[in-house]
Coordinates of all heavy atoms in Angstrom, one line a residue:
A1 N 16.0 -7.8 -28.3 CA 16.5 -6.6 -27.9 C 17.3 -6.9 -26.6 O 16.9 -7.7 -25.7 CB 15.4 -5.5 -27.5
V2 N 18.5 -6.3 -26.4 CA 19.3 -6.5 -25.2 C 19.3 -5.3 -24.4 O 19.4 -4.1 -24.8 CB 20.8 -6.8 -25.8 CG1 21.6 -6.9 -24.5 CG2 20.8 -8.0 -26.6
V3 N 19.0 -5.6 -23.1 CA 18.9 -4.5 -22.1 C 19.9 -4.6 -21.0 O 19.9 -5.8 -20.4 CB 17.5 -4.4 -21.6 CG1 17.4 -3.4 -20.5 CG2 16.4 -4.2 -22.6
S4 N 20.8 -3.7 -20.8 CA 21.7 -3.8 -19.8 C 21.2 -3.3 -18.5 O 20.9 -2.1 -18.3 CB 23.0 -3.1 -20.2 OG 23.9 -3.0 -19.0
T5 N 20.9 -4.1 -17.5 CA 20.4 -3.6 -16.3 C 21.5 -3.6 -15.2 O 21.2 -3.0 -14.1 CB 19.3 -4.6 -15.8 OG1 19.7 -6.0 -15.8 CG2 18.1 -4.5 -16.7
Q6 N 22.7 -4.1 -15.5 CA 23.7 -4.0 -14.5 C 24.1 -2.6 -14.3 O 24.4 -2.2 -13.1 CB 24.9 -4.8 -14.9 CG 24.8 -6.4 -14.9 CD 25.9 -7.1 -15.3 OE1 26.7 -6.7 -16.2 NE2 26.2 -8.2 -14.7
S7 N 24.2 -1.9 -15.3 CA 24.6 -0.4 -15.1 C 23.6 0.4 -14.5 O 24.0 1.4 -13.9 CB 25.0 0.2 -16.5 OG 23.7 0.3 -17.3
T8 N 22.4 0.1 -14.3 CA 21.4 0.8 -13.6 C 21.3 0.4 -12.2 O 20.6 1.1 -11.5 CB 20.1 0.7 -14.3 OG1 19.7 -0.7 -14.2 CG2 20.0 1.1 -15.7
G9 N 21.9 -0.6 -11.8 CA 21.9 -1.0 -10.4 C 20.6 -1.7 -10.0 O 20.3 -1.8 -8.8
I10 N 19.9 -2.1 -10.9 CA 18.6 -2.8 -10.6 C 18.9 -4.2 -10.1 O 19.6 -5.1 -10.7 CB 17.7 -2.8 -11.8 CG1 17.4 -1.4 -12.3 CG2 16.4 -3.5 -11.5 CD1 16.7 -1.3 -13.7
Q11 N 18.3 -4.5 -8.9 CA 18.6 -5.7 -8.4 C 17.6 -6.8 -8.5 O 17.8 -8.0 -8.6 CB 18.8 -5.6 -6.8 CG 19.9 -4.6 -6.4 CD 21.3 -5.1 -6.9 OE1 21.6 -6.2 -6.8 NE2 22.1 -4.2 -7.4
N12 N 16.3 -6.4 -8.6 CA 15.2 -7.2 -8.7 C 15.1 -8.0 -10.0 O 15.0 -7.4 -11.0 CB 13.9 -6.4 -8.5 CG 12.5 -7.2 -8.4 OD1 12.5 -8.2 -9.0 ND2 11.7 -6.8 -7.6
E13 N 15.1 -9.4 -9.9 CA 15.2 -10.2 -11.1 C 13.9 -10.1 -12.0 O 13.9 -10.1 -13.1 CB 15.5 -11.6 -10.8 CG 16.9 -11.9 -10.2 CD 17.9 -11.6 -11.2 OE1 17.8 -11.9 -12.5 OE2 19.0 -11.0 -10.9
E14 N 12.8 -10.0 -11.3 CA 11.4 -9.9 -11.9 C 11.4 -8.5 -12.7 O 10.9 -8.5 -13.9 CB 10.3 -10.0 -10.9 CG 9.0 -9.8 -11.6 CD 8.7 -10.9 -12.6 OE1 9.1 -12.0 -12.5 OE2 7.9 -10.5 -13.5
L15 N 12.0 -7.5 -12.2 CA 12.0 -6.3 -12.7 C 12.9 -6.3 -14.0 O 12.6 -5.7 -15.1 CB 12.4 -5.1 -11.9 CG 12.3 -3.7 -12.4 CD1 10.9 -3.4 -13.0 CD2 12.7 -2.7 -11.3
K16 N 13.9 -7.0 -13.9 CA 14.9 -7.1 -15.1 C 14.1 -7.8 -16.2 O 14.3 -7.4 -17.3 CB 16.2 -7.9 -14.6 CG 17.1 -7.2 -13.8 CD 18.3 -8.1 -13.5 CE 19.2 -7.4 -12.5 NZ 20.4 -8.2 -12.2
K17 N 13.5 -8.8 -15.8 CA 12.7 -9.6 -16.9 C 11.6 -8.7 -17.5 O 11.4 -8.7 -18.8 CB 12.0 -10.8 -16.3 CG 11.3 -11.6 -17.3 CD 10.5 -12.8 -16.7 CE 9.7 -13.6 -17.6 NZ 8.9 -12.8 -18.7
Q18 N 10.9 -7.8 -16.7 CA 9.8 -6.9 -17.3 C 10.6 -6.0 -18.3 O 10.0 -5.6 -19.3 CB 9.2 -6.2 -16.1 CG 8.2 -7.0 -15.4 CD 7.6 -6.3 -14.3 OE1 8.2 -5.4 -13.6 NE2 6.3 -6.6 -13.9
L19 N 11.8 -5.4 -17.8 CA 12.4 -4.4 -18.6 C 12.8 -5.1 -20.1 O 12.6 -4.5 -21.1 CB 13.7 -3.9 -18.0 CG 13.5 -3.0 -16.8 CD1 14.8 -2.7 -16.1 CD2 12.9 -1.6 -17.4
K20 N 13.3 -6.3 -20.0 CA 13.7 -6.9 -21.2 C 12.5 -7.2 -22.1 O 12.4 -7.0 -23.2 CB 14.4 -8.2 -20.9 CG 15.8 -8.1 -20.4 CD 16.6 -9.4 -20.2 CE 18.0 -9.1 -19.6 NZ 18.6 -10.3 -19.4
D21 N 11.4 -7.6 -21.5 CA 10.1 -7.9 -22.2 C 9.6 -6.7 -22.8 O 9.1 -6.7 -24.0 CB 9.0 -8.6 -21.3 CG 9.4 -10.0 -20.9 OD1 10.4 -10.6 -21.4 OD2 8.7 -10.5 -20.0
A22 N 9.6 -5.6 -22.0 CA 9.1 -4.3 -22.6 C 9.9 -3.8 -23.7 O 9.3 -3.4 -24.7 CB 9.1 -3.4 -21.4
F23 N 11.2 -3.8 -23.6 CA 12.0 -3.2 -24.7 C 12.0 -4.2 -25.9 O 12.2 -3.7 -27.0 CB 13.5 -3.1 -24.1 CG 13.6 -1.9 -23.3 CD1 13.8 -1.9 -22.0 CD2 13.5 -0.6 -24.0 CE1 14.0 -0.8 -21.2 CE2 13.6 0.6 -23.2 CZ 13.8 0.5 -21.8
S24 N 11.6 -5.4 -25.7 CA 11.6 -6.3 -26.9 C 10.5 -6.0 -27.8 O 10.4 -6.2 -29.0 CB 11.5 -7.8 -26.5 OG 10.1 -8.0 -26.0
L25 N 9.5 -5.2 -27.3 CA 8.3 -4.8 -28.0 C 8.7 -3.8 -29.1 O 8.1 -3.6 -30.1 CB 7.2 -4.1 -27.2 CG 6.5 -5.0 -26.2 CD1 5.6 -4.0 -25.2 CD2 5.6 -5.9 -26.9
L26 N 9.9 -3.1 -28.9 CA 10.4 -2.1 -29.9 C 10.9 -2.8 -31.1 O 11.0 -2.1 -32.2 CB 11.6 -1.3 -29.3 CG 11.2 -0.5 -28.0 CD1 12.5 0.1 -27.4 CD2 10.2 0.7 -28.4
A27 N 11.1 -4.0 -31.1 CA 11.6 -4.8 -32.2 C 10.5 -5.2 -33.3 O 10.9 -5.6 -34.4 CB 12.4 -6.1 -31.8
Y28 N 9.3 -5.0 -33.0 CA 8.3 -5.4 -33.8 C 7.4 -4.3 -34.4 O 7.3 -3.2 -33.8 CB 7.2 -6.2 -32.9 CG 7.7 -7.6 -32.3 CD1 8.3 -7.6 -31.1 CD2 7.8 -8.8 -33.1 CE1 8.7 -8.8 -30.5 CE2 8.2 -9.9 -32.6 CZ 8.8 -10.0 -31.3 OH 9.3 -11.1 -30.8
R29 N 7.1 -4.6 -35.7 CA 6.2 -3.5 -36.4 C 4.9 -3.4 -35.7 O 4.4 -2.3 -35.5 CB 6.1 -3.9 -37.8 CG 5.1 -3.0 -38.6 CD 5.3 -3.1 -40.0 NE 6.6 -2.5 -40.4 CZ 7.0 -2.5 -41.6 NH1 6.6 -3.3 -42.5 NH2 8.2 -1.9 -41.8
D30 N 4.4 -4.5 -35.3 CA 3.0 -4.6 -34.6 C 3.2 -5.2 -33.3 O 3.0 -6.5 -33.2 CB 2.0 -5.2 -35.4 CG 0.6 -5.1 -34.8 OD1 0.5 -4.5 -33.7 OD2 -0.3 -5.6 -35.3
P31 N 3.6 -4.6 -32.2 CA 3.9 -5.2 -30.9 C 2.7 -6.0 -30.3 O 3.0 -7.0 -29.7 CB 4.3 -4.1 -30.0 CG 4.4 -2.8 -30.8 CD 3.8 -3.1 -32.1
R32 N 1.5 -5.7 -30.7 CA 0.3 -6.5 -30.2 C 0.3 -7.8 -30.8 O -0.3 -8.7 -30.2 CB -1.0 -5.7 -30.5 CG -1.1 -4.4 -29.8 CD -2.5 -3.8 -30.2 NE -2.5 -2.4 -29.9 CZ -2.8 -1.9 -28.7 NH1 -3.0 -2.7 -27.7 NH2 -2.8 -0.6 -28.4
Q33 N 1.0 -8.1 -31.8 CA 0.9 -9.4 -32.4 C 2.2 -10.2 -32.0 O 2.3 -11.4 -32.3 CB 0.9 -9.3 -34.0 CG -0.3 -8.6 -34.5 CD -1.6 -9.2 -34.1 OE1 -1.7 -10.5 -34.1 NE2 -2.6 -8.5 -33.7
S34 N 3.1 -9.6 -31.2 CA 4.4 -10.3 -30.8 C 4.0 -11.2 -29.6 O 2.9 -11.1 -29.0 CB 5.4 -9.3 -30.4 OG 5.0 -8.7 -29.2
Q35 N 5.0 -12.0 -29.3 CA 4.9 -12.9 -28.1 C 4.7 -12.1 -26.9 O 4.0 -12.6 -25.9 CB 6.2 -13.7 -28.0 CG 6.2 -14.8 -26.9 CD 7.4 -15.6 -27.0 OE1 8.4 -15.3 -27.7 NE2 7.5 -16.6 -26.1
M36 N 5.1 -10.9 -26.8 CA 5.0 -10.1 -25.6 C 3.8 -9.2 -25.7 O 3.7 -8.1 -25.0 CB 6.3 -9.2 -25.3 CG 7.4 -10.0 -25.0 SD 7.1 -11.0 -23.5 CE 8.3 -12.3 -23.8
G37 N 2.9 -9.3 -26.7 CA 1.7 -8.5 -27.0 C 0.8 -8.3 -25.8 O 0.2 -7.3 -25.7
Y38 N 0.8 -9.3 -24.9 CA -0.1 -9.1 -23.6 C 0.4 -7.9 -22.9 O -0.5 -7.3 -22.1 CB 0.0 -10.3 -22.8 CG 1.3 -10.5 -22.1 CD1 1.5 -10.1 -20.7 CD2 2.4 -11.3 -22.7 CE1 2.7 -10.3 -20.1 CE2 3.6 -11.4 -22.1 CZ 3.8 -10.9 -20.8 OH 4.9 -11.1 -20.1
L39 N 1.6 -7.5 -23.0 CA 2.0 -6.3 -22.3 C 1.3 -5.0 -22.7 O 1.4 -4.0 -22.1 CB 3.6 -6.1 -22.4 CG 4.4 -7.1 -21.7 CD1 5.8 -6.9 -22.0 CD2 4.2 -7.1 -20.1
M40 N 0.7 -5.0 -23.9 CA -0.1 -3.9 -24.5 C -1.4 -3.7 -23.9 O -2.0 -2.8 -24.1 CB 0.0 -4.0 -25.9 CG 1.3 -4.0 -26.7 SD 2.4 -2.6 -26.3 CE 1.5 -1.5 -27.3
E41 N -1.9 -4.7 -23.1 CA -3.2 -4.5 -22.5 C -3.1 -3.6 -21.4 O -2.2 -3.4 -20.8 CB -3.6 -5.9 -21.9 CG -3.8 -7.1 -23.0 CD -4.0 -8.4 -22.4 OE1 -4.3 -8.4 -21.1 OE2 -3.9 -9.4 -23.1
P42 N -4.3 -2.8 -21.2 CA -4.3 -1.6 -20.3 C -3.8 -1.9 -18.9 O -2.9 -1.2 -18.4 CB -5.7 -1.2 -20.2 CG -6.3 -1.6 -21.6 CD -5.5 -2.9 -22.0
G43 N -4.2 -3.0 -18.2 CA -3.8 -3.4 -16.9 C -2.2 -3.7 -16.9 O -1.6 -3.2 -15.9
Q44 N -1.7 -4.4 -17.9 CA -0.4 -4.6 -18.0 C 0.5 -3.3 -18.2 O 1.6 -3.2 -17.7 CB -0.1 -5.7 -19.1 CG -0.7 -7.0 -18.9 CD 0.2 -7.7 -17.8 OE1 1.4 -7.6 -17.6 NE2 -0.6 -8.5 -17.0
R45 N -0.1 -2.5 -19.1 CA 0.7 -1.3 -19.5 C 0.8 -0.4 -18.2 O 2.0 0.2 -18.0 CB 0.0 -0.4 -20.5 CG 0.1 -1.0 -21.8 CD -0.4 0.0 -22.9 NE -1.6 0.6 -22.6 CZ -2.8 0.5 -23.2 NH1 -2.9 -0.2 -24.2 NH2 -3.9 1.2 -22.8
E46 N -0.1 -0.3 -17.4 CA -0.1 0.6 -16.2 C 1.0 0.1 -15.1 O 1.7 0.9 -14.7 CB -1.4 0.7 -15.6 CG -2.4 1.5 -16.4 CD -3.8 1.5 -15.7 OE1 -4.0 1.3 -14.6 OE2 -4.9 1.8 -16.4
Q47 N 0.9 -1.2 -14.9 CA 1.9 -1.7 -14.0 C 3.3 -1.7 -14.5 O 4.2 -1.3 -13.8 CB 1.6 -3.2 -13.7 CG 2.5 -3.8 -12.7 CD 2.5 -3.2 -11.3 OE1 1.3 -2.9 -10.7 NE2 3.6 -2.8 -10.8
L48 N 3.5 -2.0 -15.9 CA 4.8 -2.0 -16.5 C 5.3 -0.5 -16.4 O 6.5 -0.3 -16.1 CB 4.7 -2.4 -17.9 CG 6.0 -2.5 -18.6 CD1 7.0 -3.5 -18.0 CD2 5.7 -2.9 -20.1
C49 N 4.5 0.4 -16.7 CA 4.9 1.8 -16.7 C 5.4 2.3 -15.3 O 6.3 2.9 -15.1 CB 3.8 2.7 -17.2 SG 3.5 2.7 -19.0
A50 N 4.6 1.8 -14.3 CA 4.9 2.2 -12.9 C 6.3 1.6 -12.5 O 7.2 2.2 -11.9 CB 3.9 1.7 -11.9
D51 N 6.5 0.3 -13.0 CA 7.7 -0.4 -12.6 C 8.9 0.2 -13.4 O 9.9 0.4 -12.8 CB 7.6 -1.8 -13.0 CG 6.6 -2.6 -12.1 OD1 6.3 -2.1 -11.0 OD2 6.3 -3.7 -12.5
L52 N 8.6 0.6 -14.6 CA 9.8 1.2 -15.4 C 10.2 2.6 -14.9 O 11.3 2.9 -14.7 CB 9.4 1.3 -16.8 CG 9.4 0.0 -17.7 CD1 8.8 0.3 -19.0 CD2 10.8 -0.6 -17.7
N53 N 9.1 3.4 -14.5 CA 9.3 4.7 -13.8 C 10.1 4.6 -12.6 O 11.1 5.3 -12.4 CB 8.0 5.4 -13.7 CG 8.2 6.8 -13.1 OD1 9.0 7.5 -13.8 ND2 7.4 7.3 -12.2
S54 N 9.7 3.7 -11.7 CA 10.5 3.5 -10.5 C 11.9 3.0 -10.8 O 12.9 3.5 -10.1 CB 9.7 2.4 -9.8 OG 8.5 2.8 -9.3
A55 N 12.1 2.2 -11.8 CA 13.5 1.7 -12.0 C 14.4 2.8 -12.6 O 15.6 2.9 -12.3 CB 13.4 0.5 -13.1
M56 N 13.8 3.7 -13.4 CA 14.6 4.8 -14.0 C 14.9 5.8 -12.9 O 16.0 6.2 -12.8 CB 13.8 5.5 -15.1 CG 13.7 4.7 -16.4 SD 13.0 5.5 -17.7 CE 11.2 5.5 -17.4
L57 N 13.9 6.0 -11.9 CA 14.2 7.0 -10.9 C 15.4 6.5 -10.0 O 16.3 7.2 -9.6 CB 13.0 7.2 -10.0 CG 11.9 8.1 -10.7 CD1 10.6 8.0 -9.9 CD2 12.4 9.5 -10.9
E58 N 15.3 5.2 -9.7 CA 16.3 4.5 -8.8 C 17.6 4.5 -9.4 O 18.6 4.7 -8.8 CB 15.8 3.0 -8.5 CG 16.6 2.4 -7.5 CD 16.1 1.0 -7.2 OE1 15.9 0.2 -8.1 OE2 15.9 0.6 -6.1
S59 N 17.7 4.3 -10.8 CA 18.9 4.2 -11.5 C 19.6 5.6 -11.5 O 20.9 5.7 -11.7 CB 18.7 3.8 -12.9 OG 18.2 4.8 -13.7
H60 N 18.9 6.7 -11.2 CA 19.5 8.0 -11.1 C 19.8 8.5 -9.7 O 20.0 9.6 -9.5 CB 18.6 9.0 -11.9 CG 18.7 8.8 -13.3 ND1 19.8 9.2 -14.2 CD2 17.8 8.3 -14.2 CE1 19.6 8.8 -15.4 NE2 18.4 8.3 -15.4
G61 N 19.5 7.5 -8.8 CA 19.8 7.8 -7.3 C 18.6 8.5 -6.7 O 18.8 9.1 -5.7
L62 N 17.5 8.5 -7.3 CA 16.3 9.2 -6.8 C 15.4 8.1 -6.1 O 15.5 6.9 -6.4 CB 15.5 9.8 -7.9 CG 16.4 10.9 -8.6 CD1 15.6 11.4 -9.8 CD2 16.5 12.1 -7.7
P63 N 14.5 8.6 -5.2 CA 13.6 7.6 -4.7 C 12.7 7.0 -5.7 O 12.3 7.6 -6.6 CB 12.7 8.5 -3.7 CG 13.3 9.9 -3.6 CD 14.3 10.0 -4.9
R64 N 12.3 5.7 -5.4 CA 11.5 4.9 -6.4 C 10.1 5.5 -6.6 O 9.6 5.3 -7.6 CB 11.3 3.4 -5.8 CG 12.6 2.7 -5.9 CD 12.4 1.2 -5.5 NE 11.3 0.6 -6.5 CZ 11.5 0.0 -7.6 NH1 12.8 0.1 -8.1 NH2 10.6 -0.7 -8.2
Q65 N 9.6 6.3 -5.5 CA 8.3 6.9 -5.6 C 8.6 8.4 -5.6 O 9.1 8.9 -4.6 CB 7.4 6.5 -4.5 CG 5.9 7.0 -4.7 CD 5.1 6.3 -3.6 OE1 5.5 5.9 -2.5 NE2 3.8 6.4 -3.9
P66 N 8.1 9.1 -6.6 CA 8.4 10.6 -6.6 C 7.7 11.3 -5.4 O 6.7 10.8 -4.9 CB 7.7 11.0 -7.9 CG 7.5 9.8 -8.8 CD 7.5 8.7 -7.9
P67 N 8.3 12.3 -4.9 CA 7.8 13.0 -3.6 C 6.4 13.5 -3.7 O 5.5 13.3 -2.9 CB 8.7 14.1 -3.5 CG 10.0 13.7 -4.1 CD 9.6 12.8 -5.2
L68 N 5.9 14.0 -4.9 CA 4.6 14.4 -5.1 C 3.6 13.2 -5.0 O 2.5 13.3 -4.3 CB 4.4 15.1 -6.4 CG 2.9 15.6 -6.7 CD1 2.5 16.6 -5.5 CD2 2.9 16.4 -8.0
E69 N 3.9 12.1 -5.7 CA 3.1 11.0 -5.7 C 3.0 10.5 -4.2 O 1.9 10.0 -3.8 CB 3.8 9.9 -6.6 CG 2.9 8.6 -6.7 CD 3.6 7.6 -7.6 OE1 4.2 7.9 -8.7 OE2 3.4 6.3 -7.3
L70 N 4.1 10.4 -3.5 CA 4.1 9.9 -2.2 C 3.2 10.9 -1.3 O 2.4 10.4 -0.4 CB 5.5 10.0 -1.7 CG 5.7 9.5 -0.2 CD1 5.3 8.0 0.0 CD2 7.1 9.6 0.3
A71 N 3.3 12.3 -1.5 CA 2.5 13.1 -0.7 C 1.0 13.0 -1.0 O 0.1 12.9 -0.1 CB 2.9 14.6 -1.0
I72 N 0.7 12.8 -2.3 CA -0.7 12.5 -2.6 C -1.2 11.2 -2.1 O -2.4 11.2 -1.5 CB -0.8 12.6 -4.2 CG1 -0.8 14.0 -4.7 CG2 -2.3 12.0 -4.5 CD1 -0.6 14.1 -6.2
S73 N -0.4 10.2 -2.1 CA -0.9 8.9 -1.5 C -1.1 9.1 0.0 O -2.1 8.4 0.5 CB 0.2 8.0 -1.9 OG -0.2 6.6 -1.3
Q74 N -0.2 9.7 0.7 CA -0.4 9.9 2.1 C -1.6 10.7 2.4 O -2.3 10.4 3.4 CB 1.0 10.4 2.7 CG 2.1 9.6 2.7 CD 3.3 10.2 3.2 OE1 3.5 11.5 3.1 NE2 4.2 9.4 3.7
T75 N -1.8 11.7 1.7 CA -3.0 12.6 1.9 C -4.3 11.7 1.7 O -5.2 11.8 2.5 CB -3.0 13.7 1.0 OG1 -1.7 14.5 1.3 CG2 -4.2 14.7 1.2
K76 N -4.3 10.9 0.6 CA -5.5 10.2 0.3 C -5.7 9.2 1.4 O -6.8 8.9 1.9 CB -5.2 9.4 -1.0 CG -6.3 8.4 -1.5 CD -5.8 7.6 -2.7 CE -6.8 6.4 -2.8 NZ -6.3 5.7 -4.0
N77 N -4.7 8.6 2.0 CA -4.8 7.6 3.0 C -5.3 8.3 4.3 O -6.2 7.7 5.0 CB -3.5 6.9 3.3 CG -3.2 5.9 2.3 OD1 -3.9 5.4 1.6 ND2 -1.8 5.6 2.1
C78 N -4.9 9.5 4.5 CA -5.4 10.2 5.7 C -6.9 10.5 5.6 O -7.7 10.3 6.5 CB -4.7 11.5 5.9 SG -3.0 11.4 6.5
V79 N -7.3 11.0 4.4 CA -8.7 11.3 4.2 C -9.6 10.0 4.1 O -10.6 10.0 4.8 CB -8.9 12.0 2.7 CG1 -10.4 12.1 2.4 CG2 -8.3 13.3 2.7
V80 N -9.1 8.9 3.7 CA -9.8 7.6 3.9 C -10.0 7.3 5.3 O -11.0 6.8 5.7 CB -9.1 6.4 3.0 CG1 -9.7 5.1 3.4 CG2 -9.3 6.7 1.6
K81 N -9.0 7.4 6.1 CA -8.9 7.0 7.5 C -9.9 8.0 8.2 O -10.7 7.5 9.2 CB -7.6 7.1 8.2 CG -6.6 6.0 7.7 CD -7.1 4.7 8.3 CE -6.2 3.6 7.9 NZ -6.8 2.3 8.1
M82 N -10.0 9.3 7.9 CA -10.9 10.2 8.5 C -12.3 9.8 8.1 O -13.2 9.8 9.0 CB -10.7 11.7 7.9 CG -9.4 12.3 8.4 SD -9.1 13.8 7.5 CE -10.5 14.8 8.0
L83 N -12.6 9.4 6.9 CA -14.0 8.9 6.6 C -14.3 7.7 7.3 O -15.5 7.5 7.7 CB -14.0 8.8 5.0 CG -13.9 10.1 4.2 CD1 -13.9 9.8 2.8 CD2 -15.1 11.1 4.5
E84 N -13.4 6.7 7.4 CA -13.7 5.4 8.0 C -13.9 5.6 9.6 O -14.7 4.8 10.1 CB -12.5 4.5 7.8 CG -12.3 4.0 6.4 CD -11.1 3.1 6.3 OE1 -10.3 3.0 7.1 OE2 -11.0 2.4 5.2
S85 N -13.4 6.7 10.1 CA -13.4 6.8 11.6 C -14.6 7.8 11.9 O -14.8 8.2 13.0 CB -12.2 7.3 12.2 OG -11.9 8.5 11.7
G86 N -15.4 8.2 10.9 CA -16.6 8.9 11.1 C -16.4 10.5 11.0 O -17.2 11.2 11.6
M87 N -15.2 10.8 10.7 CA -14.9 12.3 10.6 C -15.4 12.8 9.2 O -14.8 12.8 8.3 CB -13.5 12.5 10.9 CG -13.0 12.2 12.1 SD -11.1 12.4 12.4 CE -11.1 14.2 12.3
G88 N -16.7 13.1 9.2 CA -17.3 13.6 8.0 C -16.6 14.8 7.3 O -16.8 14.9 6.0
S89 N -15.8 15.5 8.0 CA -15.1 16.6 7.4 C -14.2 16.2 6.3 O -13.8 17.0 5.4 CB -14.4 17.5 8.4 OG -13.4 16.7 9.2
G90 N -13.8 14.9 6.3 CA -12.8 14.5 5.4 C -13.5 14.4 4.1 O -12.9 14.5 3.0
A91 N -14.8 14.3 4.0 CA -15.5 14.3 2.7 C -15.4 15.7 2.0 O -15.7 15.8 0.8 CB -17.0 14.0 2.9
Y92 N -15.1 16.8 2.7 CA -15.0 18.1 2.1 C -13.6 18.5 1.7 O -13.3 19.7 1.4 CB -15.6 19.2 3.1 CG -17.1 18.8 3.4 CD1 -17.4 18.3 4.6 CD2 -18.1 19.0 2.3 CE1 -18.7 18.0 4.8 CE2 -19.4 18.8 2.6 CZ -19.7 18.2 3.8 OH -21.0 18.0 4.0
T93 N -12.6 17.6 1.7 CA -11.3 18.0 1.3 C -11.1 18.4 -0.1 O -10.3 19.1 -0.5 CB -10.3 16.8 1.8 OG1 -10.6 15.7 1.0 CG2 -10.3 16.6 3.2
G94 N -11.9 17.8 -1.0 CA -11.7 18.1 -2.4 C -10.6 17.4 -3.1 O -10.3 17.7 -4.2
L95 N -10.1 16.4 -2.4 CA -8.9 15.7 -2.9 C -9.2 15.0 -4.2 O -8.4 15.0 -5.2 CB -8.3 14.6 -1.9 CG -7.1 13.9 -2.3 CD1 -5.9 14.8 -2.5 CD2 -6.8 12.8 -1.3
E96 N -10.4 14.3 -4.3 CA -10.7 13.6 -5.6 C -10.7 14.5 -6.7 O -10.2 14.2 -7.9 CB -12.0 13.0 -5.4 CG -12.0 11.7 -4.6 CD -13.3 11.0 -4.5 OE1 -14.3 11.6 -4.1 OE2 -13.4 9.8 -4.7
K97 N -11.3 15.7 -6.5 CA -11.4 16.7 -7.6 C -10.1 17.3 -8.0 O -9.8 17.4 -9.2 CB -12.4 17.8 -7.1 CG -12.7 18.8 -8.2 CD -13.7 19.8 -7.8 CE -13.8 21.0 -8.8 NZ -14.7 22.0 -8.2
Q98 N -9.2 17.5 -7.0 CA -7.9 18.1 -7.3 C -7.0 17.2 -8.0 O -6.3 17.7 -8.8 CB -7.4 18.6 -6.0 CG -8.2 19.7 -5.3 CD -8.4 21.0 -6.3 OE1 -7.3 21.4 -6.9 NE2 -9.6 21.6 -6.2
V99 N -6.9 16.0 -7.5 CA -5.8 15.1 -8.1 C -6.5 13.9 -8.9 O -5.8 13.0 -9.3 CB -4.9 14.6 -7.0 CG1 -4.1 15.6 -6.4 CG2 -5.7 13.7 -5.9
K100 N -7.7 13.9 -9.1 CA -8.5 12.9 -9.9 C -8.2 11.5 -9.4 O -7.6 10.7 -10.2 CB -8.1 13.2 -11.4 CG -8.6 14.4 -11.9 CD -8.3 14.7 -13.3 CE -8.7 16.0 -13.8 NZ -8.2 16.5 -14.9
C101 N -8.3 11.3 -8.1 CA -8.1 9.9 -7.6 C -9.3 9.5 -6.9 O -10.3 10.3 -6.7 CB -6.9 9.9 -6.7 SG -7.3 10.8 -5.2
S102 N -9.5 8.2 -6.6 CA -10.6 7.6 -5.9 C -10.2 7.5 -4.5 O -9.1 7.1 -4.2 CB -10.9 6.2 -6.5 OG -11.9 5.6 -5.7
L103 N -11.1 7.8 -3.6 CA -10.9 7.7 -2.2 C -11.4 6.4 -1.6 O -11.5 6.1 -0.5 CB -11.5 8.8 -1.5 CG -10.9 10.2 -1.7 CD1 -11.7 11.2 -0.9 CD2 -9.5 10.2 -1.3
K104 N -11.9 5.4 -2.5 CA -12.3 4.2 -2.1 C -11.0 3.4 -1.7 O -10.0 3.4 -2.3 CB -13.1 3.4 -3.2 CG -14.3 4.2 -3.6 CD -14.9 3.4 -4.7 CE -16.2 4.3 -5.1 NZ -16.7 4.0 -6.4
P105 N -11.1 2.7 -0.5 CA -10.1 1.9 0.0 C -9.6 0.9 -1.0 O -10.5 0.2 -1.6 CB -10.5 1.4 1.3 CG -11.6 2.1 1.7 CD -12.3 2.7 0.4
Q106 N -8.3 0.8 -1.2 CA -7.9 -0.3 -2.2 C -7.9 -1.7 -1.5 O -7.7 -1.7 -0.3 CB -6.4 0.0 -2.6 CG -6.2 1.2 -3.4 CD -4.8 1.4 -3.9 OE1 -3.9 0.8 -3.5 NE2 -4.7 2.5 -4.7
Q107 N -8.2 -2.8 -2.2 CA -8.4 -4.0 -1.6 C -7.1 -4.8 -2.0 O -6.5 -4.8 -2.9 CB -9.6 -4.6 -2.2 CG -10.8 -3.8 -1.7 CD -12.1 -4.4 -2.3 OE1 -12.2 -5.5 -2.9 NE2 -13.2 -3.6 -2.3

């Protein structure tokens, strides 16, 4: 499969390679059995989807990270900092329940 990344303005060479690899999966009847089948594994799919989403947003002149995702991420980080600094009230924000995320610090 041929993917034109010049028209999208994508600069990152690694992302260009990921796009070509991902779109090559479309050429196979059973993509899991292809040379790029490893991209179908859950961990790979999540990262690939995030990268593709960012590339598509950027190609349309939008921020790489959607505003809602950015707001949730910032809120999550604030709650984590509150909990780490002993502000127990952060435990009552209900963020985990509302957006189904984990407040455990990422490593």
